[in-house]
Amino acid sequence: MKNQSTELLFELSRSGRRCHRLPQVDLPIGPAEELIPSDFLAAAPPALPEVGEIDLIRHFVNLSARNMSIDTNFYPLGSCTMKYNPKRHERLSALPGLADLHPLTPDEASQGMLQILWELQNILAEIAGLHAVSLQPAAGAHGELTALLVAAAYFRDRGEKRSRVLIPDSAHGTNPASAVIAGFDVVSVKSNNKGLTDLDDLKAKLDERTAVFMITNPNTLGLFDDQIQTITEMLHGHGALVYLDGANMNAILGKTRPGDFGIDMMHYNVHKTFTGPHGAGGPGAGPIAVRHTLDEYLPAPVVVKVGDEYRLDNDRPKSIGRVRSFFGNVGILLRGYFYIRTLGPDGLREVTENAVLNANYLLACLKHAYDVPYGDRCMHEFVASAKALRKERKISAMDVAKRLLDFGYHAPTVYFPLVVPEALMIEPTETESKETLDGFAAAMLQIKDEDPEFLAQAPHTLGISRPNEVQAAKTPKLTWKPSS
Ligand SMILES: *Cc1c(COP(=O)(O)O)cnc(C)c1O
């Protein structure tokens, strides 16, 4: 296939080729040495590729077409909520009054933007059932860190020394990472045989050293932990706080509110739940919502409304300070705001209903063929296991994931959560049609019966098949040297 060329731009280079040529200037020109001090001159000209414009354009357009994206392929990447990004929100957030606003514009001259951000703070507080919001964190993991710093400030202020954060063994890796960066020791809490928090283990590990329990609910197995009220009461009984990793809010929008089930602080992943386009590592937005007892520690500034005026409030003496330059990733916050305002409360509730319906439909299509260790039912995603397939037919989760690429599907999340061996974590989202789900299910059923040796070589239709992923990540080859 033409667009599968793996030639580098440097390899296309031919000496003297140019995209365009300017006419000779009619002024005297001299060598660079006469114009620029020698300290600033390179020893040799840079080895830039020399190509014609059409070759340049084809190179980059074809490269871009080799990417998978939500606009080109079904993308059931569990835990990432890869839903369609409505183009309306792109258009609205690109309006010049928003996109061209300089972040140092005085408050008086950015009232419209401040009003949007103020309203977004209030909307996110309401969806959370909590009281105050900081829009600053740039991603979910950054929200976790920010909230844990808020918790640390809260306990410091109360003169309490609490050093531990408890985290279930099914949690996302960012949870323990954030806790360690915030200066806490991490204690892992077991899951029980239903995939939910093991209350006995939690009880055994809970004491006066516990600062925070971080829970993802629904959890990364796609299960809602219905013991949550008991859990939050247990934690509060010991004076500790409960944090919700809100990456799975797509499963509960408008149905239940974290604040109502006892959560003290949480983050949103605006780029997941509220359709900021994501992938390839960013950009994101990870606002946090907190109970009123934690409000005064939130990062400064927050947007406040005084009379009819909106302004950035920096006068917050107990604030943990700024966690992001300017006001966070406002471009992504705007997309989230337009999404929420477009759908309204009823629309958001429907998002959740359809996300859960789609996931359960796919689960029903697949569970006779793949093991789904926890749950006959799921929330917005489920985790299948290729453990038996591996044992009986030597087909691994990785083989299934790689082979799906041949069918034009992005692979599900694999080998996460860690509590499921050979995990295939599938999240279809509410934006996919029944036909798309049926097509994906048919591919999954076909793959399981294919020749294991054939699968071990998959994908068969892409330019690159099975790179050494560890080597590619740890020692990427990023330079090119002319072969002469
Ligand atoms: C995505 C995710 C995170 C991290 O969020 P980022 O926005 O990628 O930093 C944390 N926890 C869970 C469960 C997630 O799915």
Side-chain angles (χ1 to χ4, degrees), residues 77 92 104 214 235 264 269 289 398 484:
L77 192 65
L92 290 173
L104 291 177
M214 297 178 88
L235 269 291
D264 302 295
N269 303 69
M398 186 59 84
S484 64

Side-chain angles (χ1 to χ4, degrees), residues 68-73 75 80-93 250 269-280 282-283 331-332 335-336 338-339 342-343 428-432:
M68 276 204 176
S69 72
I70 204 71
D71 284 357
T72 54
N73 301 79
Y75 213 125
C80 292
T81 312
M82 303 298 292
K83 58 167 87 174
Y84 175 65
N85 314 126
K87 300 301 166 261
R88 182 173 192 270
H89 312 148
E90 297 300 313
R91 212 170 57 239
L92 290 173
S93 35
N250 221 42
N269 303 69
V270 175
H271 44 294
K272 294 178 181 174
T273 314
F274 303 127
T275 72
H278 62 301
I332 294 299
R335 286 164 174 82
F338 292 126
Y339 179 70
T342 302
L343 289 174
T429 83
E430 73 284 2
T431 59
E432 300 296 336

Side-chain angles (χ1 to χ4, degrees), residues 181-198:
I181 294 174
F184 292 102
D185 300 324
V186 172
V187 178
S188 179
V189 175
K190 287 200 194 92
S191 303
N192 63 20
N193 58 7
K194 291 184 192 151
L196 307 176
T197 311
D198 183 330

Side-chain angles (χ1 to χ4, degrees), residues 79-80 139-142 144 172 174-175 216 220 245 247-248 267 269 271-272 416:
S79 208
C80 292
H142 195 199
E144 294 165 21
H172 196 269
T174 52
N175 291 189
T216 311
T220 60
D245 177 331
N248 294 339
H267 77 254
N269 303 69
H271 44 294
K272 294 178 181 174
F416 174 76

Side-chain angles (χ1 to χ4, degrees), residues 18 213 225:
R18 292 289 181 275
F213 180 54
D225 197 328

Side-chain angles (χ1 to χ4, degrees), residues 442-479:
M444 288 288 287
L445 298 182
Q446 178 183 327
I447 290 169
K448 143 188 116 31
D449 293 327
E450 285 184 329
D451 173 19
E453 281 176 32
F454 175 74
L455 288 178
Q457 306 292 322
H460 297 277
T461 57
L462 301 181
I464 296 172
S465 181
R466 295 265 182 141
N468 180 331
E469 289 169 5
V470 175
Q471 194 183 342
K474 298 220 160 162
T475 51
K477 193 179 149 198
L478 299 175
T479 54

